[in-house]
Amino acid sequence: MSSAGLRVTGRFVLHLGTRCNARCPFCYFSTQQRTGADGELTLRRARRRVDLAARWGKTAVDLSGGEPTLHPHLEDIVAHCRRRGIERVTLITNGLRTAAADRCSALADAGLTDVILSVHGHAAALHETHTGVPGSWRRVVQSFANLRGLDLGVRVNTVLTQRNLEHVERLLGWLATMAPDELNLLVCNPSQAAASAAGAQPFRVVDYPAAGRAISHALDRHGDLLPPVNIRFLPFCCVPDHAGRVRTQWQKLFEAHEWDPVLHVAFQRGAAAALAAIVAGAVMTSSGPRRRCADVQTWAALRLSRCRMRMYYVHGAPCAACALRRICTGFPRALVAEHGFPRVRPARRGRLIGDPQHFVSGAGCETMGRRVRRR
Ligand code: SF4
């Protein structure tokens, strides 16, 4: 364990709008997409946010949506990020528009360094069940080839749903052959609005322990062939043999590929909302990580996260005996309210662990992709 103190991630997120050319039923912005609201960030406002984040010391950004390739000034925003000293500019995309090689070249010329592609199936039918777009699997596979051809970093986000979980072993086997730099497995965790939409119901994962068993089995089979794999939105007790891959909010705060939560809330909901969450988190009794913060940004990020984790996540009876409860956010509150606290056993017993990077730092670190490209 380092004695230097915790330091919050140097990455921030810029949501460029809520418009999308796919129709994934678990999307956080599915309500806006149903109503036609696009929430598009103007170029001027995007530049101002980048300037603020750069002054805040951030050196990496995720450009997200909706679908950011629909933004009319995407290349301008990428170039502005690089001019302001943002070294890693990452695009999170469904891969529909990046199937066109000239679009990839334009983005690379503007200064893009990395892409995260959303891939939800190892075959067309399974992927397109999720995206709702015929031909989208072929296009995301083409995007992968285009981006690799330009020597951009390529990571993959795979949302694990009730539809693809039964195929997770084959899915991971296929992703191993694609060889992305990093694979994020996100257990379907829709917003409350998306979760209650009728179309999302067949995709929702409600049996987290069963999902954990399926994921563990697939990782046991293919883990050696895969790039670094992160498991998000699933607590340690669901995948106890793969604890080093688990990223609850307490691990994500310090991960180079994740977002600063203070800037995220400030940009999405306003500075007042971020400040209120920090103050609320500061007066709550501490149930989270126990390590010194290296700076005030980290202190604020931990307080804001404490407030948000209390709102959205909950611990249960098994957690009282679990040595990881300080570094685990537990289960989604909405899920527990509907289905009760899952039948799990404490992930670890014994001495309480307070370092959120307990499984992340050092020799077992699986956070970063294998390759770090410099442009
Ligand atoms: S604290 Fe609770 S939810 Fe988290 S790993 Fe332990 S038993 Fe599971």
Side-chain angles (χ1 to χ4, degrees):
M1 178 195 304
S2 162
S3 60
L6 295 168
R7 195 177 296 279
V8 70
T9 174
R11 181 174 292 263
F12 69 105
V13 64
L14 212 52
H15 288 283
L16 302 186
T18 55
R19 219 158 33 104
C20 190
N21 45 1
R23 284 292 171 268
C24 304
F26 40 77
C27 180
Y28 288 120
F29 298 114
S30 52
T31 304
Q32 288 91 330
Q33 286 155 10
R34 276 197 300 276
T35 60
D38 67 16
E40 193 163 279
L41 200 62
T42 63
L43 177 58
R44 188 156 169 258
R45 189 169 263 207
R47 284 176 171 161
R48 283 194 355 223
R49 289 184 179 181
V50 171
D51 295 350
L52 175 70
R55 283 199 301 277
W56 193 267
K58 298 300 165 192
T59 55
V61 63
D62 280 357
L63 301 176
S64 186
E67 171 50 41
T69 57
L70 300 182
H71 196 282
H73 302 293
L74 176 60
E75 281 80 354
D76 294 331
I77 294 168
V78 171
H80 186 76
C81 289
R82 295 303 300 268
R83 279 196 299 274
R84 287 294 180 270
I86 306 295
E87 296 166 8
R88 310 297 301 178
V89 182
T90 305
L91 180 72
I92 302 178
T93 177
N94 58 30
L96 290 174
R97 292 218 163 170
T98 46
D102 55 352
R103 187 73 200 274
C104 294
S105 298
L107 286 163
D109 289 346
L112 193 74
T113 57
D114 309 87
V115 176
I116 300 178
L117 289 172
S118 300
V119 184
H120 310 309
H122 59 285
L126 188 60
H127 178 73
E128 291 164 17
T129 291
H130 292 80
T131 62
V133 180
S136 56
W137 188 76
R138 182 181 52 75
R139 286 158 78 179
V140 79
V141 170
Q142 182 61 54
S143 292
F144 199 100
N146 292 345
L147 297 160
R148 274 283 189 247
L150 292 164
D151 204 28
L152 296 180
V154 187
R155 289 176 266 143
V156 164
N157 275 349
T158 296
V159 177
L160 293 175
T161 71
Q162 210 49 51
R163 287 278 170 88
N164 62 14
L165 256 172
E166 63 180 297
H167 305 286
V168 66
E169 198 173 318
R170 289 178 66 193
L171 174 53
L172 294 199
W174 177 75
L175 285 166
T177 67
M178 298 286 282
D181 294 322
E182 185 177 83
L183 174 59
N184 300 321
L185 299 177
L186 304 101
V187 176
C188 185
N189 181 34
S191 68
Q192 199 55 45
S196 54
Q201 291 303 327
F203 293 85
R204 279 188 76 195
V205 173
V206 293
D207 189 343
Y208 276 39
R213 285 191 293 275
I215 294 167
S216 292
H217 187 70
L219 288 171
D220 290 343
R221 174 91 193 275
H222 297 294
D224 290 347
L225 301 173
L226 284 162
V229 177
N230 297 319
I231 306 169
R232 293 159 193 264
F233 307 121
L234 202 63
F236 298 98
C237 51
C238 293
V239 281
D241 295 337
H242 293 277
R245 303 184 196 269
V246 169
R247 301 291 184 269
T248 75
Q249 182 64 18
W250 295 131
Q251 287 73 50
K252 287 163 61 184
L253 273 177
F254 309 105
E255 184 181 332
H257 286 168
E258 271 292 332
W259 309 331
D260 183 307
V262 174
L263 286 179
H264 185 201
V265 174
F267 288 164
Q268 288 297 98
R269 299 179 187 275
L275 190 61
I278 293 167
V279 171
V283 298
M284 286 174 176
T285 51
S286 173
S287 56
R290 286 283 166 91
R291 264 192 65 193
R292 192 170 62 80
C293 295
D295 52 32
V296 71
Q297 283 184 20
T298 306
W299 182 91
L302 271 163
R303 268 67 194 170
L304 179 141
S305 294
R306 183 190 292 166
C307 171
R308 289 176 65 78
M309 293 310 104
R310 284 278 178 88
M311 285 168 68
Y312 298 123
Y313 287 83
V314 64
H315 286 124
C319 308
C322 182
L324 305 185
R325 63 180 181 271
R326 285 197 179 281
I327 63 167
C328 172
T329 41
F331 287 86
R333 191 175 284 280
L335 180 94
V336 171
E338 272 182 69
H339 300 280
F341 199 84
R343 293 164 67 91
V344 292
R345 286 205 291 256
R348 294 281 191 284
R349 293 183 187 270
R351 189 176 55 83
L352 262 184
I353 293 169
D355 180 0
Q357 296 181 301
H358 178 80
F359 293 111
V360 179
S361 306
C365 179
E366 294 169 302
T367 300
M368 296 296 292
R370 287 173 299 180
R371 285 173 282 184
V372 178
R373 293 179 173 80
R374 290 270 166 227
R375 294 183 58 81

